[in-house]
Amino acid sequence: MQINDRLHGFKVLNIRHAEEIKGDMIEMVHEKTGARTIWLKRNDENKTFSIAFKTTPVDDTGVFHILEHSVLNGSTRYPVREPFVDLLKGSLQTFLNAMTYPDKTVYPISSRNNKDFINLMRVYLDAVFHPLVLQNPNVFYQEGWHYELNDVNEPAIYKGVVFNEMKGAFSSADGVRSRVMMHSLFPDTCYGNESGGDPEYITDLSYQQFCDTHRKHYNPSNSYIFLDGDMDIDEILGIIDDEYLSHYTDAGEKIRIDKQAAETAAPVTIDYEISPEADPKGKAQLSYGYVVGDFNEYEKIVAFSLIASVLCGNNESPLKKAILSKGLGEDISFDVQDGILQPFVEIDVINSDLEKEAEVDVAIRGELERIVKEGIDRVELEAVLNRKEFKAKEREFGGTPKGLVFALTALDSWLYDGDPLDSICFGDMFDRLREKIPTGYYEGLIREYILESRHSAKVLLRPSNTLGAEKAEKEKAKLAAILEKMSAEEKEALVKLNQDLQVWQAQEDTPEQKATLPALHLEDLKKTPTEYPLEVCVHGGKNTVLKHNEDTEGISYVSLMAEVNDLELEEHTVLLQMLSYLGKLRTKRHDTLSLNREIRSLLGDFNAGFSPMKTYHSRELRSFVNVTWSSLHRNDAAGVDLVKEILYETEFTDKQAIRDIFKQNLFGLEQAYINAGHSLAVQRSLSYTSPLAAISEYSSGYEAYRALKKLDDNWEELSDGFLAKLQELKKKIFIRERYTVSVASEDKPAIVKALLDDAPEGEVKEAVEKKALGHKREGICVPANISYAAKSSQVEELQMDQGVMYVVANILTYDYLWNNIRVKGGAYGCGFRCGLNKAASFYSYRDPSPSNSLRVYQEVTDYLKEFCGREGDVENYIVGTTGDYDPLLSTRAAIRSVDLEYLMGISYEDKTAILQAILDTDREKIRKTLSLFEKLNEDDNVCVIGNRAAIEACGEKLDEIFDLNRK
């Protein structure tokens, strides 16, 4: 390719090499339509395609969010009802989703299989340009909203997937605060409106407005096409042009994003929901926002992220300490909100009181003025800059494809007519930022953009015990008033609409429709899982060492794993707290601030966590404390010494410092019940029959919360004993006799020797038997407008084939549960899982009707019997399952996965056998799993977390209902 070359209607505008990403950026434009196109030509077998549209909301109806959901429900070329779901269950995708942002909507896919990649790209292109929703309003009613009325004499309710998703989003303080802050800072632009949709206004959106919005925004001239990886670009561009773009006759309307004129907004006070039983004292939040410039001022944006880390990176950081030490809040965060035309910084004081507003204002301003006058700690600034540079160069994204990250990052500038390469590559930015440390540059940014800000806003969140009930009553009254104004004919029409919707939702795609969707076949699949080399040896005759030979490009990844099977259940609550304090409290050689400085300077990251597991063959319970870190090779020795200092010399004596972290941990767990209740419900319901899950309950579930809440309520009386337990547990756990070491580095022997040869020695007692909590059917009420429903059991005695169970999970999640809980029930998500720990669980996510979900779980055996009686193979489910079983992993994620497999006793031969079982699955083998679901029904272990009214509607399905904060 050369500049000015033309290929399938695309003209090459620019070609630049980017050494940071080891590839070339080729910029093109589709001359007929103006569609902007980029190809990152990199040596990556995982190929990524994305098409994005500039989508600028003019109200709070969430039209672009509903569009994002709806266009993936069938298209002209692929007239199946839900191609998105069919692809999730039947492709080798490494990423498949769509995302709505405040000013754009993005449709990305990726796959390592070339045929699959092309299939996915074609389906997504047809979905966005030719969706069936424009002819079939049932899709809009299902994904967006509709009045559910099945009898003219009954009350109506609102129903819709996006409607319920956003009810969940608006249940959290974070969701409310974010929405109001954006509106206050940018009232005259698209950012002043809620792109996801405010539940109060989603129901104002008409189907006609929805269709008109699609026609205006979803055209090639408003599109941004992104390609990444090793691909036949001639073939790919040919498909995009010949099959789609060439059919457009005009360029379409150009969408603008306007800047907001600088202004200081009036403070806004708004209520957010807390539990009716909770004490509102100390639950307010105070938020301050400051616009800091334009999207293309990359150096300034990164500089503010460094300032944020210095000022609020830990509890001893100056701004955070100024708030905590005066008792003005339990936590304070300082975040940079970018990825929009005008980035801003936000300072949030968590768990305060509105009566302290003036004191908080003075404390924040006073501390910032002091810092500007006296200067930012330069050593600290250097440390956070080192950490930021490390992360930027490491480009470690876990299981997220690099191509996807590049696609989203490019839009941070590309969408606003900036240079997309500038937001992907850093160049010499870190050198420039380092040079500016002694110049007053950072202090000047604080002065100009915060202390002397001309564009700012303040949002105050007031806790309300009654808001949830008030919202429910308001919604009920609104619906009643609407129905009262309807004529008999209009009500009958509404009943008919719901009947037609239900008939459509129950329809299965015809064989002819299914045949239109491109598919992979068994011959297209790998027959063996990816193998990652591992060398297992013993150091000093005592400790197992796992040596990884991955190319880590000069970065060392180390894990120190301490086996802790001899802990009592109750000790796990203290254990997780103790681990959360490591690196955040002073040691014998460093105070907290200087310790954090050393961590940032020497380590790419540092984490201490806990992993209970069950061995694959013997079914033995094993629990490990995992201390993991990374470092540049040049910092290996100093990094190991620092980790040892943290493990062996942390002092649990500063009661106030521990109290501050404790309160933050407790608040985080409370918020998890609102934002991630499905995970906690699964864990809780499993703990009724699974000793393994019981360990997790005592470390991070309701049992832990109850113990921590008791400690919080009786801190003066119980804290001395708690601090003594922290110290005792630290000495008990971090001894050589417990250790297994995992290392990927250029100098493995030196790291292993430094970690093990002088490690403290101690005694490891016999494993303590763990017991499950016993049968329960519980409802836990939290302040949320939606719920999460789980049903689980330990099923290892049934001897189910693991590979077959993975296929069954795929079938249930994307067929039966999806259709009955998401499509018909209106929940945002749902699923079934049965993993290597031989525990089976159903769950729903942001669910308006947990009662319906529990009924659906109960009837799964009937569905499977009917499914097994059908003719035909299950090839498409097998294809998707193999992709999930052998996922795309980054270097760090692959190392951690191999470590876990070793600890669980899973060999490569075991993995190969599971994959073969997946490939050999048929309906008869699926039929043999029926006993598992009969056991789930027989055990009937249920946990529902969420809205009290929805939980109470479960009736006799639950034996006990209580508030999270019950005494």
Side-chain angles (χ1 to χ4, degrees):
M1 268 188 176
Q2 301 292 326
I3 293 176
N4 292 324
D5 280 356
R6 287 174 169 81
L7 188 64
H8 299 287
F10 290 87
K11 179 182 178 180
V12 179
L13 303 177
N14 202 3
I15 300 176
R16 288 176 288 171
H17 180 69
E19 185 58 32
E20 284 185 41
I21 58 173
K22 295 180 172 61
D24 297 325
M25 174 177 279
I26 301 171
E27 298 171 77
M28 298 171 275
V29 64
H30 188 260
E31 293 188 286
K32 184 177 182 180
T33 64
R36 305 159 188 84
T37 304
I38 285 174
W39 175 33
L40 284 188
K41 184 181 179 182
R42 298 189 306 115
N43 185 25
D44 190 340
E45 69 163 344
N46 189 67
K47 292 164 261 293
T48 299
F49 161 84
S50 170
I51 185 165
F53 300 94
K54 193 180 291 185
T55 50
T56 52
V58 297
D59 54 34
D60 293 332
T61 60
V63 61
F64 293 115
H65 189 185
I66 299 171
L67 270 169
E68 175 225 307
H69 281 243
S70 299
V71 302
L72 295 173
N73 280 259
S75 63
T76 303
R77 186 173 182 178
Y78 308 109
V80 293
R81 202 157 55 82
E82 291 187 290
F84 173 70
V85 182
D86 290 328
L87 293 171
L88 278 175
K89 68 190 177 190
S91 83
L92 294 176
Q93 53 83 20
T94 51
F95 189 87
L96 184 76
N97 213 329
M99 297 89 88
T100 303
Y101 294 95
D103 57 12
K104 58 184 172 284
T105 308
V106 188
Y107 296 86
I109 61 94
S110 67
S111 177
R112 289 171 286 189
N113 181 288
N114 187 63
K115 180 180 177 181
D116 191 44
F117 173 72
I118 291 174
N119 290 345
L120 296 171
M121 183 182 72
R122 279 185 162 126
V123 172
Y124 263 45
L125 282 167
D126 210 63
V128 297
F129 289 129
H130 309 301
L132 291 181
V133 66
L134 301 182
Q135 291 82 46
N136 184 357
N138 283 320
V139 178
F140 170 77
Y141 300 144
Q142 171 182 288
E143 298 298 322
W145 77 278
H146 66 279
Y147 299 109
E148 182 168 83
L149 184 68
N150 296 308
D151 187 301
V152 294
N153 297 313
E154 293 180 357
I157 63 170
Y158 290 121
K159 203 168 186 181
V161 173
V162 169
F163 177 78
N164 285 309
E165 177 189 351
M166 295 311 295
K167 267 195 168 185
F170 274 56
S171 290
S172 72
D174 287 347
V176 175
R177 184 181 65 238
S178 174
R179 161 78 186 90
V180 179
M181 178 59 72
M182 289 278 278
H183 177 79
S184 296
L185 286 173
F186 308 108
D188 305 320
T189 75
C190 64
Y191 304 115
N193 301 302
E194 176 53 55
S195 60
D198 184 332
E200 188 172 346
Y201 300 103
I202 286 174
T203 55
D204 292 341
L205 180 65
S206 72
Y207 175 62
Q208 186 59 53
Q209 290 171 317
F210 169 88
C211 294
D212 291 343
T213 302
H214 177 274
R215 293 187 182 99
K216 178 178 179 180
H217 291 81
Y218 279 54
N219 64 74
S221 66
N222 190 40
S223 69
Y224 298 77
I225 298 171
F226 185 94
L227 300 161
D228 175 81
D230 185 7
M231 63 184 67
D232 183 342
I233 195 65
D234 181 78
E235 179 183 20
I236 299 303
L237 295 181
I239 291 170
I240 296 172
D241 176 63
D242 298 345
E243 299 180 18
Y244 294 97
L245 302 190
S246 64
H247 299 284
Y248 281 80
T249 57
D250 55 64
E253 182 178 344
K254 185 174 178 64
I255 306 300
R256 290 169 43 87
I257 301 178
D258 296 320
K259 289 181 65 173
Q260 174 69 50
E263 62 177 58
T264 300
V268 175
T269 301
I270 189 166
D271 290 346
Y272 81 99
E273 183 181 357
I274 62 171
S275 169
E277 289 81 4
D279 183 355
K281 184 174 177 55
K283 292 290 194 298
Q285 300 191 19
L286 293 80
S287 190
Y288 306 81
Y290 307 92
V291 174
V292 297
D294 293 331
F295 74 93
N296 55 359
E297 296 179 276
Y298 309 108
E299 184 177 294
K300 185 199 298 181
I301 295 168
V302 174
F304 265 110
S305 73
L306 303 177
I307 291 169
S309 189
V310 172
L311 299 191
C312 282
N314 60 75
N315 285 356
E316 292 299 313
S317 298
L319 185 56
K320 183 172 283 196
K321 190 171 184 178
I323 294 297
L324 299 183
S325 63
K326 295 179 175 66
L328 298 177
E330 292 180 1
D331 201 2
I332 175 173
S333 62
F334 189 137
D335 298 297
V336 179
Q337 309 292 349
D338 56 0
I340 59 176
L341 183 63
Q342 295 168 275
F344 64 97
V345 298
E346 185 173 332
I347 300 173
D348 300 316
V349 178
I350 309 299
N351 288 349
S352 182
D353 290 294
L354 295 190
E355 293 78 12
K356 297 177 180 178
E357 177 190 351
E359 291 181 79
V360 171
D361 290 354
V362 169
I364 291 176
R365 186 168 190 87
E367 186 60 23
L368 293 179
E369 287 175 341
R370 183 194 68 77
I371 289 168
V372 168
K373 180 180 179 181
E374 299 177 8
I376 295 178
D377 186 320
R378 294 180 181 181
V379 179
E380 184 74 9
L381 196 53
E382 177 83 29
V384 299
L385 179 56
N386 290 342
R387 170 68 69 85
K388 187 79 173 180
E389 185 175 15
F390 178 97
K391 288 295 184 183
K393 293 181 176 180
E394 184 186 26
R395 296 188 186 274
E396 169 59 53
F397 308 122
T400 303
K402 282 187 177 180
L404 171 65
V405 176
F406 293 149
L408 297 177
T409 305
L411 287 166
D412 288 350
S413 52
W414 196 20
L415 194 77
Y416 318 113
D417 300 323
D419 185 342
L421 196 59
D422 283 348
S423 52
I424 293 176
C425 297
F426 295 94
D428 63 351
M429 179 190 298
F430 293 106
D431 293 334
R432 299 196 308 270
L433 287 169
R434 191 169 281 107
E435 290 170 358
K436 291 181 178 180
I437 288 176
T439 67
Y441 170 72
Y442 296 90
E443 293 84 352
L445 292 179
I446 296 173
R447 180 192 305 108
E448 180 178 357
Y449 291 99
I450 298 180
L451 294 176
E452 299 174 1
S453 173
R454 295 181 297 107
H455 193 169
S456 64
K458 180 161 69 172
V459 175
L460 310 174
L461 264 62
R462 179 172 52 205
S464 170
N465 299 107
T466 60
L467 183 63
E470 291 168 3
K471 281 186 174 181
E473 193 57 39
K474 182 179 178 181
E475 183 177 297
K476 183 178 178 181
K478 179 181 176 181
L479 282 163
I482 290 170
L483 281 185
E484 188 176 348
K485 293 179 181 179
M486 284 186 179
S487 66
E489 292 77 12
E490 288 173 322
K491 291 180 182 178
E492 290 288 354
L494 201 53
V495 171
K496 178 69 163 51
L497 181 150
N498 278 272
Q499 291 172 344
D500 292 344
L501 176 61
Q502 291 162 13
V503 169
W504 173 74
Q505 289 174 329
Q507 287 176 350
E508 289 196 10
D509 296 322
T510 66
E512 292 76 18
Q513 289 171 323
K514 291 178 181 179
T516 65
L517 199 64
L520 296 180
H521 301 287
L522 294 184
E523 58 266 26
D524 299 316
L525 309 181
K526 288 171 54 182
K527 302 302 188 291
T528 56
T530 303
E531 186 171 12
Y532 300 97
L534 176 67
E535 179 186 353
V536 181
C537 57
V538 176
H539 179 79
K542 296 180 180 181
N543 299 94
T544 300
V545 177
L546 309 179
K547 295 182 177 180
H548 300 269
N549 297 313
E550 298 281 339
D551 179 9
T552 60
E553 299 184 348
I555 297 173
S556 297
Y557 296 102
V558 188
S559 294
L560 185 65
M561 297 167 279
E563 192 159 9
V564 290
N565 306 320
D566 52 337
L567 298 186
E568 299 288 346
L569 270 178
E570 292 78 6
E571 286 185 284
H572 291 88
T573 305
V574 183
L575 170 67
L576 214 66
Q577 291 301 302
M578 185 270 289
L579 296 176
S580 75
Y581 300 144
L582 295 179
K584 300 176 184 176
L585 298 175
R586 68 183 178 219
T587 67
K588 292 179 180 177
R589 283 179 274 175
H590 288 92
D591 61 28
T592 304
L593 200 58
S594 62
L595 177 66
N596 274 271
R597 183 184 304 141
E598 288 294 292
I599 291 172
R600 289 163 168 165
S601 296
L602 297 174
L603 304 179
D605 56 30
F606 170 83
N607 294 290
F610 174 64
S611 299
M613 63 190 70
K614 188 175 289 187
T615 57
Y616 183 59
H617 292 287
S618 66
R619 316 313 301 159
E620 173 190 2
L621 287 180
R622 301 186 75 184
S623 296
F624 289 86
V625 165
N626 307 300
V627 180
T628 63
W629 67 96
S630 61
S631 62
L632 294 175
H633 178 54
R634 66 172 183 264
N635 293 329
D636 283 350
V640 169
D641 286 344
L642 181 62
V643 170
K644 289 161 63 177
E645 178 185 342
I646 294 170
L647 299 185
Y648 306 134
E649 299 180 21
T650 294
E651 297 181 345
F652 296 98
T653 54
D654 188 334
K655 187 179 293 189
Q656 186 56 53
I658 290 173
R659 175 68 162 156
D660 290 339
I661 301 172
F662 176 88
K663 296 287 282 186
Q664 292 158 9
N665 290 345
L666 185 61
F667 178 71
L669 185 53
E670 288 175 341
Q671 290 302 296
Y673 277 88
I674 297 172
N675 298 321
H678 62 305
S679 296
L680 289 161
V682 166
Q683 177 178 285
R684 179 76 178 167
S685 59
L686 266 178
S687 70
Y688 306 151
T689 57
S690 166
L692 179 65
I695 296 173
S696 296
E697 263 298 285
Y698 274 90
S699 61
S700 59
Y702 177 70
E703 296 302 319
Y705 178 78
R706 186 166 63 175
L708 296 175
K709 195 71 172 66
K710 179 181 178 181
L711 175 57
D712 185 48
D713 292 339
N714 301 276
W715 183 259
E716 292 303 320
E717 176 187 350
L718 302 176
S719 57
D720 288 340
F722 176 61
L723 268 60
K725 287 179 183 177
L726 292 173
Q727 180 68 15
E728 176 187 338
L729 204 54
K730 184 199 73 171
K731 289 184 176 180
K732 179 178 180 179
I733 288 171
F734 294 119
I735 56 175
R736 179 169 180 175
E737 286 77 5
R738 298 184 186 273
Y739 289 164
T740 295
V741 176
S742 165
V743 59
S745 174
E746 296 174 13
D747 194 2
K748 300 181 186 70
I751 292 174
V752 172
K753 181 178 175 62
L755 278 174
L756 295 177
D757 283 3
D758 60 352
E761 296 187 353
E763 179 185 4
V764 180
K765 297 182 179 179
E766 290 188 6
V768 173
E769 182 183 3
K770 309 298 191 301
K771 293 184 179 181
L773 303 185
H775 169 69
K776 298 179 189 293
R777 302 193 306 169
E778 295 177 319
I780 303 177
C781 301
V782 298
N785 287 321
I786 36 70
S787 301
Y788 310 89
K791 182 174 184 176
S792 307
S793 277
Q794 191 70 35
V795 293
E796 59 190 327
E797 71 274 14
L798 298 179
Q799 300 296 314
M800 293 295 167
D801 190 298
Q802 188 62 60
V804 176
M805 286 312 308
Y806 284 146
V807 178
V808 171
N810 191 353
I811 293 168
L812 292 180
T813 297
Y814 295 118
D815 270 359
Y816 176 70
L817 298 175
W818 186 279
N819 290 332
N820 288 283
I821 294 178
R822 178 179 165 112
V823 173
K824 298 177 184 178
Y828 183 50
C830 54
F832 171 77
R833 62 179 72 151
C834 185
L836 295 170
N837 62 358
K838 300 297 182 182
S841 298
F842 293 107
Y843 65 90
S844 64
Y845 179 75
R846 291 186 179 174
D847 188 350
S849 179
S851 177
N852 172 68
S853 297
L854 295 179
R855 177 191 59 79
V856 171
Y857 303 158
Q858 188 76 19
E859 296 174 0
V860 71
T861 52
D862 296 333
Y863 166 80
L864 278 177
K865 288 176 183 176
E866 186 274 330
F867 178 89
C868 294
R870 302 177 196 170
E871 295 183 359
D873 57 39
V874 291
E875 185 180 51
N876 62 321
Y877 300 103
I878 292 173
V879 170
T881 306
T882 61
D884 294 337
Y885 180 66
D886 190 22
L888 177 71
L889 296 175
S890 67
T891 299
R892 183 170 64 183
I895 289 168
R896 186 60 187 143
S897 177
V898 171
D899 288 346
L900 289 173
E901 288 167 359
Y902 173 81
L903 296 175
M904 293 177 68
I906 302 172
S907 66
Y908 183 73
E909 290 71 25
D910 292 328
K911 292 177 64 178
T912 302
I914 292 172
L915 179 57
Q916 190 59 52
I918 292 171
L919 295 169
D920 292 340
T921 299
D922 57 27
R923 292 183 193 272
E924 186 53 40
K925 291 177 180 176
I926 293 171
R927 188 190 304 277
K928 293 179 181 178
T929 70
L930 282 169
S931 59
L932 181 149
F933 298 98
E934 290 167 352
K935 176 174 174 54
L936 272 168
N937 283 340
E938 179 183 339
D939 290 349
D940 202 21
N941 296 304
V942 171
C943 180
V944 179
I945 295 173
N947 176 266
R948 175 171 285 275
I951 290 176
E952 290 177 345
C954 293
E956 62 183 17
K957 297 183 179 76
L958 300 176
D959 296 322
E960 184 180 12
I961 297 174
F962 55 88
D963 189 84
L964 178 67
N965 292 307
R966 70 174 177 178
K967 297 295 184 182

